[in-house]
C-alpha cells in the first residue's frame, strides 16, 4: 500500500486534520477488503475446484484487471495532451 497511499497523500492536504484521518481510514478499509475478499473467495473456490484451477483463474483475473488498469491509464494520459507533451520533452 506504500506507493498508493503516497500518491493519494497530496489529495488530503486541503482537508481538516480530522477529515484526513477519516479519508485515510476509508483508504485502509478499501485496501484491506481488496486484498482479503479475493483471497477468501479463492480459498472457498479451492475447496470446490482444486488449487491448480483456482490459481489459474485467479492469475488470469489479476492479469485482466492489470491490463484494464493499464488501458485506463493510457486512455487517461491520451486525453490530456499537455501532460503527454510535457512528459516527452
Amino acid at each position: 500500500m506504500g506507493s498508493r497511499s503516497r500518491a493519494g497523500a497530496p489529495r488530503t492536504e486541503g482537508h481538516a486534520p480530522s477529515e484526513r484521518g477519516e479519508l485515510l481510514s476509508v483508504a485502509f478499509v478499501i485496501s484491506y477488503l481488496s486484498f482479503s475478499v479475493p483471497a477468501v473467495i479463492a480459498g472457498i473456490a479451492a475447496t470446490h475446484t482444486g488449487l491448480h484451477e483456482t490459481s489459474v483463474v485467479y492469475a488470469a483475473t489479476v492479469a485482466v484487471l492489470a491490463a484494464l488498469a493499464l488501458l485506463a491509464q493510457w486512455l487517461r494520459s491520451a486525453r490530456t495532451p499537455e501532460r503527454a507533451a510535457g512528459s516527452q520533452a
Side-chain angles (χ1 to χ4, degrees):
M1 189 155 141
S3 63
R4 189 188 69 74
S5 63
R6 185 172 183 190
R11 297 179 186 203
T12 63
E13 288 178 357
H15 298 282
S18 63
E19 292 176 346
R20 284 186 221 157
E22 292 172 5
L23 288 172
L24 290 176
S25 295
V26 169
F28 279 121
V29 168
I30 292 171
S31 175
Y32 293 145
L33 287 175
S34 68
F35 285 110
S36 64
V37 170
V40 169
I41 292 171
I44 293 169
T47 61
H48 295 290
T49 63
L51 185 58
H52 178 72
E53 292 82 7
T54 302
S55 299
V56 169
V57 171
Y58 193 90
T61 303
V62 169
V64 167
L65 291 174
L68 288 173
L70 184 63
L71 178 64
Q73 184 64 29
W74 179 75
L75 290 173
R76 184 177 178 192
S77 66
R79 285 188 196 164
T80 54
E82 62 276 358
R83 283 189 176 180
S87 64
Q88 292 176 355

